[in-house]
Amino acid sequence: MPGDLQMEEPAFGGEHHSGRVARPLWTAMKRGMLGRCPHCGKGKLFGAFVKPVDKCEVCGDDLHHHRADDLPAYLVIVIVGHIVVGGFMAVEATSTLSTWQHALIWVPLTIVLAIVLLQPVKGAVIGLQWALYMHGFGDEKDEFETR
């Protein structure tokens, strides 16, 4: 009977089956987007523009485990592409700008958006990895495949 079924908690956002305490996924990602430690939310996540610190200066949590790699750049490309292409198409449909005018609008906007979004997106990816115990954030050795 439908009333007798028990609903399981969703697995996304924490590993309830592993015996580990579930970490707050959205909080960790928000803290990362703001450039803060995903664990405590107080220490700085980045020592340089997109260079994360090795250890949080406040809580001491190791952050060098992350493997954000190229994912933040790919996500920024998707986000900026949707904004710029959508904006371009809307302006093109409603006005008669020349090619040079379009270039003067959309090229700088693309560059600025990409630069502005890269650090917050990388912080969110690191927060995601921390919350899901990925790549050494779960106190286990992160093993790499050999080819």
Side-chain angles (χ1 to χ4, degrees), residues 19 27 31 34 38 49 57 63 69 78 86 90 93 96 99 103-104 126 129-130:
T27 302
R31 288 173 177 170
L34 296 173
F49 178 59
E57 60 196 20
L63 299 170
D69 299 331
V78 169
T96 57
T99 303
L104 289 174
I126 293 171
Q129 292 176 357
W130 177 86

Side-chain angles (χ1 to χ4, degrees), residues 61-128:
D61 199 19
D62 285 329
L63 299 170
H64 63 86
H65 302 107
H66 84 88
R67 298 213 17 228
D69 299 331
D70 294 333
L71 180 60
Y74 295 144
L75 294 175
V76 167
I77 289 169
V78 169
I79 294 166
V80 171
H82 279 81
I83 293 169
V84 170
V85 171
F88 170 80
M89 291 174 67
V91 170
E92 182 66 18
T94 60
S95 69
T96 57
L97 295 179
S98 70
T99 303
W100 284 107
Q101 289 170 320
H102 276 295
L104 289 174
I105 294 170
W106 302 112
V107 171
L109 183 65
T110 301
I111 294 168
V112 169
L113 282 173
I115 291 170
V116 167
L117 289 174
L118 189 57
Q119 187 183 47
V121 170
K122 184 168 184 173
V125 169
I126 293 171
L128 172 83

Side-chain angles (χ1 to χ4, degrees), residues 8 60 70 137 147:
E8 291 184 24
D70 294 333
F137 284 118
R147 297 181 191 242

